[in-house]
């Protein structure tokens, strides 16, 4: 019966309808390129991004970094040099090139050198170590806003999760100023994660705070990712094409 039902005559309108729907969402997504929703008071602010590894800045936070480059001052703290495969020095240089491409001045970039924060799935970072690095750099730059991962860390990587917990630890234990606004990059399900432009439409309606990169910024973010040559495996190249994080970020306030 199923074979009879799924005849060419039956499947054709279904496929046309599906293709039409997807195409419509893509065009709607393009319509929202270059838009953002933040409180109007967040202009001309100092914004500190806290990441776990070199390449996180463009693989996950690119749209938000580019937004704040245009309206404020951006600082970047990377908690490790990505030395899991013995490429620490190479990846430090790659991060410097990526940051420059995104528009982050070299003097606004810090790569932590902490024995307790070594890259690796099996390396469990203590929140105290993360909090120490965040508080030290925050004292130097005096940020108005800190942006990092949420408790899932987009991919579930334990270093990403520890980064989020460490920033939260620093805030709750008064290691950073209580007036600092903390925002977490929202993790989404796998369908949305790899829906690229299609997710722009949903994000713009479902999220109170979002950044959708302009076409110019998307090209810039992809260009920044090219600096991470040691990490450009075939699956990361697919990620650059299909990931919504190369196009759109949605964020939630972590202040309580």
């Amino acid at each position: 019966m199923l074979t009879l039902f799924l005849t060419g005559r039956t499947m054709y309108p279904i496929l046309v309808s599906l293709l039409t729907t997807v195409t419509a969402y893509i065009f709607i997504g393009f319509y929202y390129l270059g838009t953002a929703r933040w409180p109007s008071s967040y202009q001309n602010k100092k914004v500190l991004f806290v990441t776990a590894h070199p390449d996180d800045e463009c693989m996950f936070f690119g749209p938000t970094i580019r937004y704040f480059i245009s309206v404020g001052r951006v600082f970047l703290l990377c908690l490790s040099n990505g030395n899991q495969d013995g490429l620490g020095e190479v990846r430090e240089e790659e991060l410097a090139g990526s940051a420059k491409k995104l528009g982050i001045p070299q003097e606004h970039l810090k790569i932590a050198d902490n024995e307790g924060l070594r890259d690796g799935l099996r390396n469990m970072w203590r929140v105290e170590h993360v909090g120490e690095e965040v508080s030290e750099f925050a004292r130097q730059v005096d940020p108005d806003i800190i942006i990092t991962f949420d408790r899932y860390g987009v991919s579930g990587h334990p270093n990403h999760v520890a980064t989020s917990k460490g920033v939260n630890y620093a805030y709750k234990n008064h290691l950073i100023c209580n007036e600092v606004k903390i925002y977490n990059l929202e993790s989404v399900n796998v369908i949305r994660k790899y829906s690229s432009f299609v997710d722009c439409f949903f994000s713009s309606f479902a999220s109170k705070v979002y950044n959708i990169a302009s076409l110019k910024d998307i090209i810039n973010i992809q260009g920044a990712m090219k600096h991470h040559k040691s990490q450009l495996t075939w699956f990361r190249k697919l990620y650059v094409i299909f990931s919504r994080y190369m196009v759109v970020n949605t964020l939630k306030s972590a202040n309580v």
Side-chain angles (χ1 to χ4, degrees):
M1 292 294 293
L2 181 61
T3 304
L4 291 174
F5 177 76
L6 296 177
T7 61
R9 181 177 297 178
T10 305
M11 287 298 295
Y12 180 75
I14 294 176
L15 291 174
V16 170
S17 177
L18 180 61
L19 182 61
T20 301
T21 301
V22 171
T23 302
Y25 273 111
I26 291 174
F27 274 103
I28 292 173
F30 270 99
Y31 174 80
Y32 283 96
L33 291 184
T35 62
R37 182 184 293 147
W38 284 89
S40 58
S41 60
Y42 283 17
Q43 304 284 317
N44 301 314
K45 300 296 185 181
K46 290 188 287 186
V47 185
L48 170 59
F49 288 81
V50 182
T51 63
H53 313 114
D55 74 15
D56 289 349
E57 77 288 344
C58 48
M59 286 185 66
F60 306 115
F61 296 92
T64 306
I65 288 176
R66 289 297 297 168
Y67 170 75
F68 279 110
I69 286 290
S70 68
V71 300
R73 299 171 62 192
V74 171
F75 299 82
L76 173 61
L77 170 62
C78 185
L79 293 172
S80 77
N81 67 353
N83 196 39
Q84 182 178 10
D85 298 317
L87 297 172
E89 292 184 5
V90 171
R91 298 196 67 186
E92 287 181 16
E93 293 180 3
E94 291 175 346
L95 176 55
S98 172
K100 182 178 180 180
K101 179 68 175 179
L102 289 170
I104 303 173
Q106 293 300 104
E107 61 271 20
H108 289 189
L109 167 65
K110 179 182 178 181
I111 303 173
D113 183 17
N114 189 315
E115 285 294 330
L117 302 174
R118 295 305 178 204
D119 177 21
L121 290 167
R122 297 182 180 181
N123 294 334
M124 299 295 106
W125 294 359
R126 292 172 59 90
V127 294
E128 294 86 353
H129 292 154
V130 174
E132 174 188 332
E133 294 294 337
V134 172
S135 63
E136 180 182 333
F137 196 50
R139 284 195 296 269
Q140 296 177 31
V141 305
D142 190 26
D144 301 294
I145 303 167
I146 296 179
I147 296 174
T148 190
F149 295 103
D150 67 5
R151 62 182 181 178
Y152 182 70
V154 178
S155 64
H157 194 298
N159 298 164
H160 295 182
V161 174
T163 299
S164 176
K165 291 181 177 179
V167 171
N168 189 52
Y169 169 86
Y171 178 76
K172 288 188 173 181
N173 287 276
H174 311 291
L175 301 180
I176 54 180
C177 178
N178 286 345
E179 294 181 1
V180 174
K181 305 299 183 184
I182 311 291
Y183 281 88
N184 294 145
L185 179 66
E186 184 183 15
S187 299
V188 297
N189 62 57
V190 69
I191 295 175
R192 288 185 62 194
K193 184 176 180 179
Y194 294 107
S195 61
S196 189
F197 295 98
V198 176
D199 195 58
C200 295
F201 174 73
F202 182 81
S203 294
S204 65
F205 280 94
S207 302
K208 292 182 178 180
V209 178
Y210 69 83
N211 297 294
I212 301 177
S214 66
L215 186 58
K216 179 181 178 180
D217 284 339
I218 293 170
I219 294 171
N220 177 278
I221 296 164
Q222 292 177 347
M225 186 62 197
K226 290 179 181 178
H227 283 274
H228 294 284
K229 294 179 181 179
S230 68
Q231 304 302 299
L232 285 177
T233 55
W234 65 268
F235 56 87
R236 283 199 177 89
K237 291 179 180 178
L238 290 177
Y239 178 94
V240 169
I241 296 171
F242 293 106
S243 173
R244 53 94 75 173
Y245 290 97
M246 302 294 290
V247 179
V248 55
N249 288 163
T250 50
L251 302 101
K252 292 184 177 181
S253 173
N255 295 90
V256 292

